[in-house]
């Protein structure tokens, strides 16, 4: 692929992702609001651009990896944004986790300018970004996905790049579903461990018994072990999970779905953040339930 | 083992379990409130008794497998109950799913009469009982467990017979933890699928994407597939899961633990039963969320 690739957003996730593209021989044009990350990427072989528009004037495939919905809106449709200079036939891949509703609106704007937008949020966190083992959930046109798949495979596990659907926003919806499903499992395991501990039963034995049966889950396996060891070093920070559940609640309100268990998970997470846990791993949600049960719980 | 084994409660679960004991050459004395099941077991080689006390007068290891807490209390401590005739050194194994608090009280009564009580609730449902692949969660004395383990291995998967702890009730607490953990996962998957469907995203693709990552669980795998196919033939009936969550909520109140996500799961299950779903598989909890989102959902 001889096309230039644009990369906007060089944070904890974007930095290692852009580096994987460079390492695989791609020509990468980068933009970031703060300069140290740009300097780091230029040292690794990237070309620095002065704005998202400057990126789009030099690249026909443009990846965005920024914190939240308003950031993606600004980078694509704001002043000096991608839309100002984007070439006809360009592909914008938003790998941020944002609102599926906003994504549909942005995809329409990109399409009106002769481009194609894919939403491709990831899971796997910083470790997945560093090891290029991210799961990638893609919404949008399948031809555009075929064209950019080699780039995605530089950053994610090829077997876990799933085309969720042709509708813009399908990837973001899938990411929200992922966080909802995890939330239920996390609350269930947390409440089970709180009950076991308060009853004087060893939660390690409970975890072992449950892993053999229908309650088995990755959450029980991995987060369950964190809860046993009281090891809440992130991992995935509670503040970021709080943002993802905000997106879930917003999407549910926007499209008309009730998600009452997720509402409880959101409130427990609010309590965790209120107790100073914003930068703990999100599995520290268990500590809220331990505290409510009057259990003594060391926190890292 | 040349001891007679008593078996009280020949319902959907108890009948195949008692048959496995007979098939492995054990001498089994049975009692059941209604007679057809007794006739069936006698045809398979069992000895019929006229009451729990009659069972206990003929057997030194007595298994109980009855519906709920009051049933176990009646069978052990009621008129013509086990305690009236139980021999010193006998072991009572309660394999019902009941209150851990009541279990501790009953275990003390059995101990005061010179016997030992183990609580050994199971998971795996009717299929597990028929195939002798039950998971068995045991609370109580380890020597007593060693003595009866060969019997448990006739009915369950030997690798999934877990000694949860020496305290009476530890097995029942573990069973409740199992149902709590499953409930959270079930609500999470149900809400995720409701959101995906309402957003016009194929939940089958969502399930596939999620199974590769952190949201992976047995519930997503097995119940998720049921939800895709709208196949709610039990399985494990909603009315029984409702009973288990009642036990969870009672235990939480008795020992002082808050289980707010489980509370939501309980209410969704109440709604399922109110809608006529008592005898559907408990994964039909998803249909409550589908209904709340205004989605059309065929039900078996």
């Amino acid at each position: 692929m001889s096309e230039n690739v644009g990369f906007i957003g060089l944070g904890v996730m974007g930095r290692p992702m852009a580096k994987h593209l460079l390492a695989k021989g791609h020509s990468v044009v980068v933009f970031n609001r703060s300069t140290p990350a740009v300097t780091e990427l230029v040292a690794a072989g990237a070309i620095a651009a002065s704005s998202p528009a400057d990126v789009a004037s030099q690249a026909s495939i443009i990846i965005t990896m920024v914190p939240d919905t308003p950031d993606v809106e600004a980078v694509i449709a704001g002043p000096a944004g991608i839309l100002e200079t984007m070439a006809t036939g360009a592909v914008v891949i938003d790998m941020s986790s944002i609102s599926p509703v906003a994504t549909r609106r942005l995809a329409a704007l990109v399409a009106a300018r002769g481009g194609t937008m894919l939403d491709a949020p990831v899971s796997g966190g910083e470790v997945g970004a560093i090891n290029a083992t991210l799961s990638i959930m893609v919404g949008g046109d399948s031809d555009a996905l075929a064209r950019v798949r080699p780039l995605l495979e530089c950053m994610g596990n090829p077997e876990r790049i799933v085309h969720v659907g042709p509708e813009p926003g399908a990837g973001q919806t899938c990411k929200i579903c992922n966080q909802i499903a995890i939330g239920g499992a996390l609350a269930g395991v947390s409440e089970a461990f709180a009950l076991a501990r308060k009853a004087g039963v060893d939660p390690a034995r409970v975890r072992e018994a449950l892993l053999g049966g229908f309650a088995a889950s990755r959450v029980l396996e991995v987060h369950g072990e964190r809860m046993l060891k009281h090891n809440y070093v992130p991992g995935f920070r509670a503040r970021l999970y709080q943002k993802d559940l905000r997106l879930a609640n917003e999407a549910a309100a926007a499209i008309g779905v009730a998600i009452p268990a997720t509402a409880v998970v959101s409130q427990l997470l609010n309590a965790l953040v209120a107790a100073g846990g914003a930068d703990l791993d999100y599995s520290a949600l268990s500590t809220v339930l331990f505290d409510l049960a009057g259990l003594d719980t060391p926190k890292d």
Side-chain angles (χ1 to χ4, degrees), chain A residues 57-197:
Chain A
S57 69
Q58 302 179 59
S60 50
I61 299 176
I62 305 142
I63 295 169
T64 54
M65 190 62 174
V66 294
D68 209 343
T69 306
D71 306 297
V72 177
E73 290 174 329
V75 157
I76 292 180
I82 291 168
L83 289 178
E84 289 189 1
T85 59
M86 185 186 74
T88 304
V91 179
V92 177
I93 315 170
D94 179 33
M95 302 186 75
S96 323
S97 291
I98 70 163
S99 158
V101 177
T103 295
R104 281 191 285 277
R105 193 171 62 240
L106 290 168
L109 291 175
V110 171
R113 286 272 288 101
T116 305
M117 179 166 161
L118 297 173
D119 49 302
V122 305
S123 78
E126 189 179 347
V127 171
I130 290 170
N131 296 334
T133 56
L134 293 168
S135 297
I136 307 179
M137 295 156 262
V138 188
D141 181 66
S142 59
D143 290 341
L145 172 56
R147 179 171 157 203
V148 306
R149 189 180 272 275
L151 296 175
L152 299 182
E153 290 182 352
C154 297
M155 299 177 284
N157 180 338
E159 291 174 11
R160 295 190 191 166
I161 300 172
V162 177
H163 188 213
V164 183
E167 319 80 13
Q172 297 294 356
T173 295
C174 188
K175 173 69 186 281
I176 287 174
C177 291
N178 187 66
Q179 304 301 63
I180 288 174
I182 288 174
L186 185 61
V189 171
S190 296
E191 293 185 2
F193 279 20
L195 186 92
R197 290 187 62 200

